[in-house]
Amino acid sequence: DQQVKQNSPSLSVQEGRISILNCDYTNSMFDYFLWYKKYPAEGPTFLISISSIKDKNEDGRFTVFLNKSAKHLSLHIVPSQPGDSAVYFCAASDSNYQLIWGAGTKLIIKP
Amino acid sequence: SQTIHQWPATLVQPVGSPLSLECTVEGTSNPNLYWYRQAAGRGLQLLFYSVGIGQISSEVPQNLSASRPQDRQFILSSKKLLLSDSGFYLCAWSVGGLSNQPQHFGDGTRLSIL
């Protein structure tokens, strides 16, 4: 049972435009959500997180939006840069030490 | 600042051989520690986690084991490797004693079983 789903295996975006990565979850007990970025042959790098008491969190070019009623979160990257090309994972937690991970979305930024 | 070291970066082992992957964390005390595996083209699968010395929780049945002999050391082992053990192994840490904390990852070990 996939509790965290990233339905788009890949996404291609023009440099300078907005990249929007989506994630859906099924467990209403999740109260903490994270986005990670991963390059090939490296470990994931933490990007940004959001608590369920908020609906938006910003950090520079990265913004995460949380829609609890729809059980949906998204990561917006504006403007997209070539270095943003990577696999992006969303993850969720229910006040536990463990994270439940999505399968990832490969973002390709076209010059 | 905190750092996490994982080695070796790559490893090629024959089927049936033993395995020992090591992970150490610096700059923090009593971290939560994690071992993950990422199969090709797939997400991260949690294998083991530890909230303290000698405390290991296993998430999936397998022929791998984990140990935490020291506060900031986490070891992944196997007595006899299988072909299916091939993959990318990642160690991670998070702040101990607190929930809802990000996990921070090492650079991973690419394990190939021949």
Side-chain angles (χ1 to χ4, degrees):
Chain A
D1 176 31
Q2 270 189 296
Q3 298 186 64
V4 176
K5 298 179 184 179
Q6 293 178 257
N7 292 317
S8 298
S10 65
L11 174 67
S12 187
V13 174
Q14 201 73 33
E15 181 180 356
R17 306 293 291 268
I18 182 171
S19 294
I20 300 177
L21 297 132
N22 294 303
C23 181
D24 297 295
Y25 62 95
T26 57
N27 188 342
S28 58
M29 298 301 292
F30 287 149
D31 59 0
Y32 181 61
F33 304 88
L34 311 90
W35 282 97
Y36 283 79
K37 173 181 178 179
K38 184 181 182 302
Y39 293 120
E42 293 184 10
T45 301
F46 170 66
L47 280 175
I48 192 168
S49 63
I50 188 167
S51 165
S52 60
I53 62 173
K54 295 185 174 182
D55 54 19
K56 178 182 175 181
N57 189 26
E58 272 183 274
D59 184 0
R61 295 187 298 117
F62 302 93
T63 303
V64 55
F65 295 92
L66 176 62
N67 182 333
K68 290 186 289 294
S69 61
K71 294 191 178 69
H72 177 83
L73 68 154
S74 60
L75 175 68
H76 292 209
I77 306 173
V78 182
S80 300
Q81 299 174 354
D84 296 330
S85 294
V87 177
Y88 289 78
F89 290 96
C90 68
S93 171
D94 58 357
S95 295
N96 201 334
Y97 300 115
Q98 300 178 52
L99 297 179
I100 309 300
W101 296 79
T105 296
K106 183 175 183 179
L107 176 64
I108 301 164
I109 306 301
K110 299 179 292 185
Chain B
S1 65
Q2 301 88 4
T3 57
I4 180 168
H5 302 281
Q6 188 181 341
W7 68 92
T10 59
L11 189 60
V12 180
Q13 292 282 98
V15 170
S17 63
L19 173 73
S20 180
L21 301 181
E22 189 162 342
C23 173
T24 59
V25 180
E26 296 176 359
T28 186
S29 296
N30 195 31
N32 298 326
L33 297 172
Y34 309 83
W35 278 111
Y36 285 89
R37 176 170 56 205
Q38 183 184 20
R42 302 185 67 179
L44 278 68
Q45 180 187 36
L46 179 65
L47 302 175
F48 301 95
Y49 72 95
S50 171
V51 299
I53 296 174
Q55 299 179 60
I56 309 294
S57 297
S58 174
E59 289 300 300
V60 291
Q62 58 206 314
N63 73 321
L64 299 171
S65 62
S67 62
R68 185 171 177 173
Q70 300 180 48
D71 180 43
R72 290 170 290 174
Q73 184 184 28
F74 206 23
I75 298 172
L76 183 68
S77 304
S78 174
K79 292 181 179 177
K80 283 187 177 182
L81 286 166
L82 307 173
L83 281 174
S84 57
D85 292 324
S86 292
F88 190 53
Y89 289 82
L90 290 154
C91 181
W93 73 273
S94 65
V95 174
L98 296 174
S99 59
N100 290 353
Q101 295 290 314
Q103 296 176 12
H104 304 280
F105 287 80
D107 287 334
T109 295
R110 171 72 58 193
L111 176 63
S112 300
I113 310 300
L114 304 178

